[in-house]
């Protein structure tokens, strides 16, 4: 049984990654329905929380159906991060996660996210300040290092464990890689198999299929995997992985009707949580993935990203079901890379491989 503090996550948990502008409550709801074991909020600025910024405060919204759920914060200074941790605690999440992995320039230039990988002593001090400021279990998500010359994740893991974190998620790329190239799971495996490491180690990067998940467990020994881009518009990935790990067999892909019904739920919850205008606007980024594999779908997709009312959009979704009710999705089997992971040079390469 994998545990973070007193939180039991099962034998090999599947975690939903915190993705900015994606991992909001409506998206988390459909992922939870399909088997995500632990989910995180979008990352939240520590300084934004302290300033009472509306967008930052809204990201604190969590709901009973999501549990266990963690709130993720980022920042580059000890005092604001400690204060943010205390604010987060009042919303009663199950845990608090620190983002030391975001590679985006506007975050990095403030010495936050992956930017702190240039200053490991500061990273340790900041983490210690957050651990001291809250009673919540504190976890960290980070990368292998800043660049190929500073892959210091083994040292980082030991030092963060020593100051009190209770789990570590490692994205198998450096900051300079961004999301290009291949995730290096070898170093993730070294951290997990370090006899000094006693906390759960979760791997992240290029997980798109059940076979890759099994490889992550058997070859690298991780305690679970975190799934990000592969779940966008395809929350079924969690149930498919669990079924394959239990039976050795693939589930059939979701039908057109299943895809549309889940898309509708996602849309309705987006409107309910964000309001008509923002909820409809921000949902537009998801349609392409929900409808991936349907032939000649461009006209319908254009309507979905143009119409401005819930009724109009649901009418289009119903029309898609009618038009494609006999379409059968078939699984393709792209060759696996040497380390049993698909290349990720192109975004979502190998993910949701149905035609």
């Amino acid at each position: 049984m994998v545990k973070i503090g007193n939180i039991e996550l099962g034998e090999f948990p599947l975690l939903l990654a915190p993705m900015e502008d994606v991992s909001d409550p409506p998206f988390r709801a459909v992922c939870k329905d399909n088997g995500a074991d632990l989910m995180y909020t979008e990352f939240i600025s520590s300084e934004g929380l302290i300033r009472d910024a509306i967008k930052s405060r809204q990201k604190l919204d969590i709901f009973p159906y999501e549990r266990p759920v963690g709130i993720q914060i980022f920042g580059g200074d000890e005092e604001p991060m400690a204060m943010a941790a205390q604010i987060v605690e009042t919303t009663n999440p199950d845990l608090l996660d620190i983002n030391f992995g975001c590679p985006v320039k506007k975050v990095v230039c403030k010495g936050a996210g992956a930017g702190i990988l240039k200053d490991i002593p500061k990273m340790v001090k900041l983490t210690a300040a957050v651990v001291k400021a809250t009673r919540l279990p504190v976890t960290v998500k980070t990368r292998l290092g800043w660049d190929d010359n500073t892959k210091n994740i083994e040292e980082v893991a030991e030092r963060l464990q020593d100051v009190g974190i209770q789990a570590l998620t490692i994205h198998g790329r450096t900051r300079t890689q961004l999301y290009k190239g291949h995730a290096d799971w070898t170093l993730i495996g070294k951290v997990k198999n370090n006899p000094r490491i006693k906390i759960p180690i979760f791997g992240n990067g290029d997980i798109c299929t059940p076979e890759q998940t099994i490889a992550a467990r058997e070859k690298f020994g991780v305690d679970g995997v975190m799934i990000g881009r592969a779940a966008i518009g395809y929350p079924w990935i969690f149930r498919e992985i669990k079924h394959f790990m239990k039976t050795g067999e693939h589930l059939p892909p979701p039908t057109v009707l299943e895809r549309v019904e889940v898309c509708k739920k996602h849309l309705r919850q987006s409107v309910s949580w964000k309001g008509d205008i923002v909820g409809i606007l921000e949902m537009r980024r998801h349609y392409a993935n929900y409808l991936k594999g349907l032939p000649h779908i461009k006209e319908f997709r254009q309507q979905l990203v143009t119409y401005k009312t819930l009724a109009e959009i649901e009418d289009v979704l119903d029309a898609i079901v009618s038009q494609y009710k006999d379409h059968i999705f078939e699984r393709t089997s792209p060759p696996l890379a040497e380390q049993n992971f698909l290349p990720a040079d192109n975004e979502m390469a190998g993910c949701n491989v149905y035609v």
Side-chain angles (χ1 to χ4, degrees):
M1 175 67 69
V2 177
K3 297 177 67 175
I4 300 176
N6 294 321
I7 307 166
E8 295 185 351
L9 298 175
E11 294 183 2
F12 191 82
L14 306 180
L15 286 59
L16 174 65
M19 295 177 282
E20 178 69 356
D21 294 326
V22 175
S23 299
D24 56 16
F27 178 70
R28 298 198 301 265
V30 296
C31 289
K32 187 68 174 182
D33 287 346
N34 283 279
D37 294 302
L38 174 63
M39 305 186 294
Y40 295 87
T41 64
E42 303 168 80
F43 71 173
I44 304 171
S45 165
S46 57
E47 294 183 359
L49 280 181
I50 294 169
R51 294 196 309 268
D52 204 27
I54 293 174
K55 186 173 182 181
S56 294
R57 289 280 177 166
Q58 187 182 34
K59 289 180 180 179
L60 290 173
D61 287 353
I62 54 176
F63 299 91
Y65 62 77
E66 299 184 80
R67 295 190 183 277
V69 62
I71 290 177
Q72 188 186 73
I73 60 174
F74 75 96
D77 296 305
E78 291 179 39
E79 185 175 354
M81 284 289 280
M83 293 175 65
Q86 294 170 346
I87 294 170
V88 166
E89 186 174 313
T90 65
T91 67
N92 196 32
D94 297 286
L95 59 87
L96 170 65
D97 190 69
I98 305 174
N99 183 313
F100 288 143
C102 177
V104 176
K105 185 177 181 180
K106 67 179 181 179
V107 174
V108 168
C109 69
K110 297 179 181 179
I116 206 166
L117 290 169
K118 289 183 173 182
D119 190 344
I120 302 307
K122 182 179 179 180
M123 183 186 195
V124 174
K125 289 182 180 178
L126 195 155
T127 304
V130 171
V131 170
K132 185 177 180 180
T134 181
R135 293 169 295 179
L136 294 169
V138 175
T139 63
V140 164
K141 184 173 188 285
T142 190
R143 289 180 171 237
L144 301 179
W146 178 259
D147 56 25
D148 286 342
N149 297 317
T150 56
K151 291 183 178 179
N152 45 20
I153 188 60
E154 293 178 80
E155 173 195 352
V156 166
E158 290 185 2
R159 295 182 67 176
L160 295 185
Q161 176 181 261
D162 290 346
V163 296
I165 71 166
Q166 298 193 40
L168 176 66
T169 300
I170 305 169
H171 182 104
R173 290 182 174 85
T174 63
R175 187 272 165 179
T176 56
Q177 280 183 273
L178 302 176
Y179 295 99
K180 300 176 182 178
H182 296 179
D184 180 0
W185 281 71
T186 303
L187 282 176
I188 300 175
K190 285 184 178 180
V191 173
K192 172 57 192 172
N193 293 294
N194 179 345
R196 274 209 62 205
I197 297 297
K198 307 301 180 184
I199 60 175
I201 301 296
F202 304 115
N204 174 229
D206 300 351
I207 293 290
C208 298
T209 68
E211 290 87 350
Q212 292 168 310
T213 306
I214 289 177
R217 181 184 64 180
E218 295 183 352
K219 187 170 183 177
F220 305 107
V222 293
D223 294 291
V225 297
M226 178 177 282
I227 298 169
R229 289 175 291 170
I232 299 175
Y234 201 82
W236 301 276
I237 188 163
F238 297 101
R239 77 174 188 185
E240 290 181 356
I241 288 173
K242 287 186 172 183
H243 182 82
F244 189 86
M245 294 183 75
K246 183 177 180 179
T247 68
E249 299 177 352
H250 287 284
L251 280 172
T255 65
V256 173
L257 179 59
E258 287 179 291
R259 290 171 186 244
V260 167
E261 288 302 309
V262 171
C263 183
K264 280 184 177 181
K265 176 175 180 176
H266 190 170
L267 170 64
R268 290 166 184 163
Q269 294 205 205
S270 182
V271 169
S272 175
W273 186 59
K274 302 175 185 178
D276 289 344
I277 296 175
V278 177
I280 288 172
L281 182 64
E282 295 192 354
M283 187 64 192
R284 291 174 178 175
R285 64 173 60 96
H286 295 279
Y287 295 127
N289 282 303
Y290 274 117
L291 304 175
K292 187 175 181 180
L294 292 176
H296 313 298
I297 196 67
K298 183 177 180 180
E299 183 177 346
F300 283 119
R301 196 167 61 228
Q302 184 62 34
Q303 292 172 355
L304 290 171
V305 300
T306 304
Y307 290 164
K308 297 180 180 180
T309 70
L310 181 62
E312 287 177 314
I313 296 170
E314 291 197 337
D315 284 345
V316 175
L317 291 170
D318 289 339
I320 290 172
V321 173
S322 178
Q323 176 79 16
Y324 293 96
K325 60 181 182 297
D326 297 324
H327 181 84
I328 298 175
F329 292 93
E330 295 181 1
R331 180 183 298 275
T332 63
S333 299
L336 297 180
E338 181 180 353
Q339 62 173 12
N340 293 322
F341 287 88
L342 294 165
D345 295 301
N346 298 313
E347 186 176 8
M348 299 295 291
C351 296
N352 311 340
V353 284
Y354 297 109
V355 296

